[in-house]
Amino acid sequence: MTLIKSISGIRGTIGGNVGDNLTPIDAVKFASAYGTWIKQQRDKDSYRVVVGRDARISGEMIQNLVMNTLVGLGIHVIDLGLSTTPTVEVAVPMEHADGGIILTASHNPKQWNALKLLDAKGEFLNGEEGAKILDIAESNDMQFADVDSLGKITVNDAYIDLHIDEVLDMDLVNVDAIKKANFKVVVDGVNSTGGIAIPLLLERLGVHPVKLYCEPNGQFPHNPEPLKEHLTDLSKAVVKEHADFGIVVDPDVDRLAFMDEKGEMFGEEYTLVACADYVLSQTPGNTVSNMSSTRALRDITEKHGGTYEASAVGEVNVVNLMKKNNAIIGGEGNGGIIYPELHYGRDALVGVALFLSLLAEKKMDVSDLRASYPNYFMSKKKIQLTPGLDVDGILNAMETKYAHENLTTIDGVKIDFADSWVHLRKSNTEPIIRIYTEAPSQLKADELADRIISEIKAIANI
């Protein structure tokens, strides 16, 4: 299946058959449903939607289709052109818009693209809102504007700079200390819009950026997911340039990972840990991450006198729990920093500014900073189940088996042991159970995952 419709948007591969891939007809259909939903939210004379895209090859084509579909619905469009996911999120309230669309398939390879949908606050839609848009798309219940009521497209390419202005204005970004530190940083922009935004931010902070794959042409030089095995060129460049550290983002710049001065990964999970450590040291409070993220965030939060809580997986779930708990920082273990002082969305620019502030104030190497945090190791595996198996029944059986342990069941089954945990989640699209574990060593994390897999196979008789 290469066209995936979900409450958070629609994504698929370019080309192929209508309904099976992300074709122009599918893009128009879904944009029409979203625009119709926007107009149903409130009765007013005019509507505005912000649209931006990452640099992938199909982006311009999909953006033109989406924007002109909205025009056909009588909706005015603010065209940000090449942008980032957090930039569009920031732009929606600044423009007093009714919503926003980001055209990006995030860390997926270049043949993929997607429509990510925002509400009037610049935040991702909740499940009920997303389901409504899917219903509209399936029913074709859309009414387009007459010739005198068509929308207009206004180009505004200033928003990356405006986004950077907002980041630099945050109270905890210590611009003076960063400038005095005279950092040198290698940036892997994976030939997308991070190659525009991150070097611009660094230059404003007095940091010398060494650009690696920062040409926004959509020709990803490696798998765009910011994992260690994809970042050998960044590792070599950091060492060769005698840089203080390296930065890598995904194509739409909502995920952030660092590499230390030795060319070793800081760890995507620890991006949030470090940023939270800095924020909590200045403004004590609570934190939130999803259930599949490292326990180190809980440890750091409690060290600073705050309370940590875990949400179901998914950015909208993290945001909802952050609002409920008045969390001052949160995010996801995939390098997603959510700092509500600016907005409720994962934002690599915010993460870079907070991390640089932390480094400038601590005056220590990145490797030493990483060594100062609790050390945990993760294993991420999956078990393929035969179609027809009762996945919920298997998870219920595991819940019963470990009823004497600390259990959380808001999203699959998470079992918290004294020095480790395991999180079991079923896939929504295929008969798979995902098995994430964390422990004090890689060996123990892998052994725990293998043990759980064996227990599941025994329950399922496979």
Side-chain angles (χ1 to χ4, degrees):
M1 182 172 63
T2 49
L3 184 68
I4 301 170
K5 304 170 187 177
S6 73
I7 58 172
S8 59
I10 182 171
R11 63 187 171 101
T13 49
I14 298 299
N17 297 321
V18 175
D20 291 333
N21 305 75
L22 185 56
T23 70
I25 290 173
D26 294 293
V28 168
K29 179 179 179 180
F30 207 74
S32 302
Y34 173 74
T36 299
W37 175 81
I38 286 286
K39 294 171 73 173
Q40 290 174 353
Q41 299 313 295
R42 65 188 88 171
D43 186 18
K44 51 193 290 196
D45 292 334
S46 66
Y47 301 86
R48 292 157 60 83
V49 169
V50 177
V51 180
R53 64 181 174 93
D54 71 13
R56 60 187 64 233
I57 300 163
S58 62
E60 186 175 6
M61 175 193 73
I62 296 294
Q63 182 171 4
N64 285 328
L65 289 164
V66 166
M67 291 195 304
N68 283 295
T69 299
L70 296 173
V71 166
L73 285 160
I75 296 171
H76 300 301
V77 175
I78 299 96
D79 171 13
L80 303 194
L82 287 172
S83 192
T84 77
T85 287
T87 302
V88 177
E89 292 171 347
V90 167
V92 170
M94 289 179 74
E95 285 286 336
H96 304 288
D98 300 283
I101 301 178
I102 309 126
L103 304 167
T104 174
S106 195
H107 62 271
N108 288 97
K110 69 177 183 178
Q111 65 268 32
W112 288 81
N113 213 329
L115 283 68
K116 287 185 176 181
L117 309 176
L118 304 175
D119 63 16
K121 294 179 287 187
E123 298 171 16
F124 286 112
L125 307 186
N126 62 35
E128 184 180 342
E129 293 164 337
K132 178 63 176 173
I133 291 169
L134 290 174
D135 288 343
I136 294 170
E138 290 308 308
S139 67
N140 282 321
D141 185 17
M142 312 152 192
Q143 184 169 358
F144 291 86
D146 62 44
V147 70
D148 293 317
S149 305
L150 297 174
K152 291 183 173 62
I153 298 174
T154 303
V155 176
N156 188 334
D157 58 6
Y159 262 100
I160 287 179
D161 288 318
L162 293 172
H163 184 185
I164 291 171
D165 289 343
E166 294 292 309
V167 170
L168 298 183
D169 282 344
M170 295 190 310
D171 290 342
L172 295 191
V173 177
N174 194 335
V175 177
D176 291 339
I178 295 169
K179 287 182 175 179
K180 287 176 185 172
N182 197 28
F183 290 119
K184 182 181 184 182
V185 178
V186 182
V187 180
D188 182 348
V190 72
N191 284 343
S192 189
T193 50
I196 302 171
I198 301 298
L200 281 174
L201 171 65
L202 294 177
E203 287 166 359
R204 293 278 300 277
L205 285 166
V207 176
H208 174 58
V210 178
K211 298 180 184 180
L212 178 68
Y213 306 133
C214 285
E215 184 66 34
N217 57 23
Q219 298 287 355
F220 303 148
H222 53 76
N223 184 310
E225 188 164 15
L227 302 177
K228 178 180 180 179
E229 57 267 30
H230 307 149
L231 302 175
T232 52
D233 289 350
L234 177 61
S235 177
K236 291 174 185 175
V238 168
V239 174
K240 178 184 175 185
E241 294 285 342
H242 303 287
D244 293 286
F245 63 100
I247 293 172
V248 60
V249 292
D250 65 339
D252 68 323
V253 203
D254 62 357
R255 287 175 63 177
L256 170 67
F258 298 114
M259 188 167 278
D260 72 19
E261 75 283 359
K262 300 174 184 175
E264 298 293 331
M265 290 299 291
F266 189 77
E268 235 188 346
E269 291 284 335
Y270 284 82
T271 300
L272 176 56
V273 174
C275 291
D277 182 30
Y278 175 65
V279 170
L280 293 169
S281 71
Q282 309 288 322
T283 52
N286 302 327
T287 65
V288 169
S289 65
N290 70 41
M291 293 169 62
S292 290
S293 299
T294 181
R295 188 180 278 185
L297 180 61
R298 183 199 70 179
D299 296 349
I300 290 296
T301 304
E302 291 177 352
K303 184 188 87 170
H304 288 291
T307 300
Y308 165 79
E309 199 164 339
S311 76
V313 173
E315 182 172 333
V316 68
N317 297 317
V318 175
V319 166
N320 287 341
L321 189 56
M322 286 181 69
K323 290 177 178 179
K324 180 182 175 184
N325 290 1
N326 293 313
I328 60 170
I329 189 169
E332 298 185 287
N334 60 9
I337 306 297
I338 302 174
Y339 187 46
E341 183 183 326
L342 185 53
H343 66 117
Y344 276 106
R346 294 183 303 175
D347 191 328
L349 280 74
V350 167
V352 167
L354 293 175
F355 188 78
L356 283 166
S357 299
L358 173 66
L359 270 188
E361 293 193 8
K362 282 191 175 278
K363 296 182 172 66
M364 62 196 302
D365 289 339
V366 172
S367 60
D368 292 334
L369 177 67
R370 174 63 181 83
S372 72
Y373 294 130
N375 218 15
Y376 294 106
F377 297 83
M378 275 195 177
S379 174
K380 298 182 179 182
K381 299 189 178 186
K382 60 186 178 182
I383 181 168
Q384 185 82 37
L385 304 174
T386 54
L389 271 177
D390 180 7
V391 180
D392 288 326
I394 293 169
L395 293 179
N396 288 339
M398 292 298 288
E399 182 184 346
T400 300
K401 180 179 176 68
Y402 287 97
H404 59 288
E405 299 287 353
N406 184 8
L407 291 179
T408 311
T409 56
I410 58 171
D411 184 11
V413 179
K414 184 175 184 182
I415 310 160
D416 269 294
F417 303 105
D419 66 347
S420 60
W421 55 259
V422 58
H423 186 199
L424 313 174
R425 296 179 68 235
K426 68 173 181 177
S427 167
N428 293 324
T429 57
E430 51 188 331
I432 281 175
I433 295 179
R434 303 189 188 279
I435 298 145
Y436 291 2
T437 62
E438 187 176 64
S441 72
Q442 193 62 57
L443 178 63
K444 289 184 178 179
D446 290 336
E447 286 177 346
L448 176 56
D450 291 339
R451 189 188 93 204
I452 295 294
I453 288 172
S454 297
E455 291 173 2
I456 290 173
K457 287 183 174 181
I459 291 168
N461 292 316
I462 55 175

